[in-house]
């Protein structure tokens, strides 16, 4: 298959395709973060990097079988007050829509957060021509991470959430609170900014999850993000897809 990945990040799409047993002929990746590109090229050196999504035209590709991506979510997230699809980051959603309509791939997959406003989700459903399916990563990994997935691939029956048991703590303004569900709170890109943003394994403020532990909570191979600073590793992992969720979708392509 020929793959075009927009907002490719650290190329979790390639990991998922590999785990799903999908043969990839050419993998085009649109990404602008130099650290993300470094990690992708380390793990998948045959990746063809094509730069900023805003500069991409359909004429530069052969027939694309699968278009994937997840545009920046900063302006959509329920955890932040943003301008939604009109925001300077999340308006890049429309670049995905543009290329989906121009390229007309056989299959597509788009991922994003739970939008803070219902109208934003309805707009995304309309533009992508299908209703997003809400899947929480905690049915595959020990992390609470609800995300919407828009696709024309029939999603497999998803498993039941395991009875996770574990101690995870997160900062709540003035104190650390234990996560009651036995799973880690959602890993965020701001883990790379320091402070209290990295979840803890105990009430000891020094007992932070390591980058390796965060990789495992996203279903990444061990040390996949090794090679850049821990600050960048946390950021890249927080921005990444949960690999087992996407793998479950891609298995339908075999």
């Amino acid at each position: 298959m020929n793959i075009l990945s927009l907002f490719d990040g650290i190329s979790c799409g390639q990991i998922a395709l590999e785990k799903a047993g999908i043969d990839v002929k050419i993998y085009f990746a649109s990404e602008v973060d130099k650290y993300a590109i470094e990690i992708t090229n380390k793990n998948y050196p045959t990746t063809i990097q094509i730069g900023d999504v805003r500069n991409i035209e359909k004429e530069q590709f052969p027939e694309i079988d699968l278009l994937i991506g997840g545009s920046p979510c900063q302006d959509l997230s329920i955890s932040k007050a943003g301008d939604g699809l009109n925001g300077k980051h999340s308006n890049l959603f429309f670049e995905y829509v543009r290329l989906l309509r121009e390229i007309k791939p056989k299959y597509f997959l788009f991922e994003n957060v739970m939008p803070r406003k219902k109208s934003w989700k309805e707009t995304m459903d309309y533009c992508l021509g299908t209703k997003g399916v809400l899947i929480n990563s905690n049915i595959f990994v020990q992390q609470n991470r609800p995300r919407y997935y828009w696709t024309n691939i029939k999603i497999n029956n998803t498993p039941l959430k395991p009875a996770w048991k574990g101690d995870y703590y997160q900062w709540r303004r003035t104190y650390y609170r234990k996560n009651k569900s036995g799973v880690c709170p959602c890993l965020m890109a701001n883990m790379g900014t320091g402070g209290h943003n990295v979840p803890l394994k105990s009430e000891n403020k020094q007992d932070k999850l390591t980058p390796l532990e965060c990789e495992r909570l996203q279903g990444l191979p061990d040390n996949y993000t090794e090679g850049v600073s821990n600050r960048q590793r946390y950021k890249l992992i927080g921005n990444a897809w949960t690999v087992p969720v996407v793998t479950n979708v891609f298995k339908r392509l075999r």
Side-chain angles (χ1 to χ4, degrees), residues 58-96:
K58 68 174 183 177
E59 290 77 15
Q60 66 192 90
F61 305 108
E63 182 176 355
I64 295 296
D65 300 294
L66 173 64
L67 175 68
I68 61 177
S71 55
C73 65
Q74 293 98 313
D75 305 303
L76 295 168
S77 175
I78 59 175
S79 65
K80 296 181 180 180
D83 295 323
L85 295 170
N86 293 321
K88 66 177 182 179
H89 302 289
S90 294
N91 68 359
L92 288 172
F93 162 75
F94 294 107
E95 291 296 327
Y96 182 97

Side-chain angles (χ1 to χ4, degrees), residues 141-154:
V141 295
Q142 200 167 355
Q143 179 198 175
N144 182 55
R145 194 181 187 86
R147 294 291 187 269
Y148 273 106
Y149 296 84
W150 290 261
T151 183
N152 64 345
I153 305 167
K154 184 178 179 180

Side-chain angles (χ1 to χ4, degrees), residues 28-250:
F28 297 99
S30 171
E31 180 54 58
V32 296
D33 185 302
K34 67 178 183 179
Y35 300 105
I37 293 171
E38 181 179 342
I39 294 303
T40 295
N41 290 345
K42 178 193 77 168
N43 290 285
Y44 292 98
T46 61
T47 302
I48 300 176
Q49 297 286 348
I50 54 175
D52 194 320
V53 66
R54 292 167 292 188
N55 299 327
I56 295 174
E57 301 295 339
K58 68 174 183 177
E59 290 77 15
Q60 66 192 90
F61 305 108
E63 182 176 355
I64 295 296
D65 300 294
L66 173 64
L67 175 68
I68 61 177
S71 55
C73 65
Q74 293 98 313
D75 305 303
L76 295 168
S77 175
I78 59 175
S79 65
K80 296 181 180 180
D83 295 323
L85 295 170
N86 293 321
K88 66 177 182 179
H89 302 289
S90 294
N91 68 359
L92 288 172
F93 162 75
F94 294 107
E95 291 296 327
Y96 182 97
V97 174
R98 172 180 70 85
L99 288 164
L100 176 64
R101 293 174 177 175
E102 291 178 358
I103 291 173
K104 297 180 174 60
K106 185 175 182 180
Y107 302 107
F108 74 90
L109 173 69
F110 181 81
E111 177 265 4
N112 219 293
V113 296
M114 296 175 64
R116 188 162 51 87
K117 291 185 179 180
K118 181 180 178 181
S119 61
W120 299 345
K121 165 65 165 51
E122 291 173 343
T123 298
M124 296 168 83
D125 289 346
Y126 175 79
C127 290
L128 294 169
T130 187
K131 289 186 177 181
V133 177
L134 183 62
I135 302 175
N136 195 322
S137 298
N138 65 16
I139 62 177
F140 291 100
V141 295
Q142 200 167 355
Q143 179 198 175
N144 182 55
R145 194 181 187 86
R147 294 291 187 269
Y148 273 106
Y149 296 84
W150 290 261
T151 183
N152 64 345
I153 305 167
K154 184 178 179 180
I155 294 179
N156 280 347
N157 293 330
T158 51
L160 296 175
K161 177 187 172 185
W164 298 112
K165 294 182 180 179
D167 294 334
Y168 292 96
Y169 297 78
Q170 63 186 130
W171 181 252
R172 303 300 292 178
R173 296 185 180 178
T174 59
Y175 66 98
Y176 287 103
R177 183 186 73 177
K178 185 176 181 179
N179 226 29
K180 295 180 180 179
S181 59
V183 299
C184 180
C186 186
L187 301 178
M188 308 287 282
N190 65 4
M191 293 189 301
T193 62
H196 306 295
N197 296 312
V198 180
L200 306 176
K201 295 172 284 185
S202 74
E203 293 182 84
N204 181 345
K205 66 174 66 176
Q206 305 303 320
D207 200 12
K208 297 178 180 179
L209 293 176
T210 65
L212 175 60
E213 289 168 322
C214 291
E215 287 176 337
R216 291 172 177 173
L217 288 167
Q218 285 283 53
L220 294 164
D222 283 3
N223 300 312
Y224 183 84
T225 60
E226 201 171 50
V228 296
S229 69
N230 281 353
R231 174 178 179 144
Q232 291 300 327
R233 290 181 73 180
Y234 281 126
K235 176 185 174 184
L236 297 174
I237 294 167
N239 275 330
W241 282 352
T242 304
V243 171
V245 179
V246 185
T247 301
N248 187 63
V249 177
F250 287 162

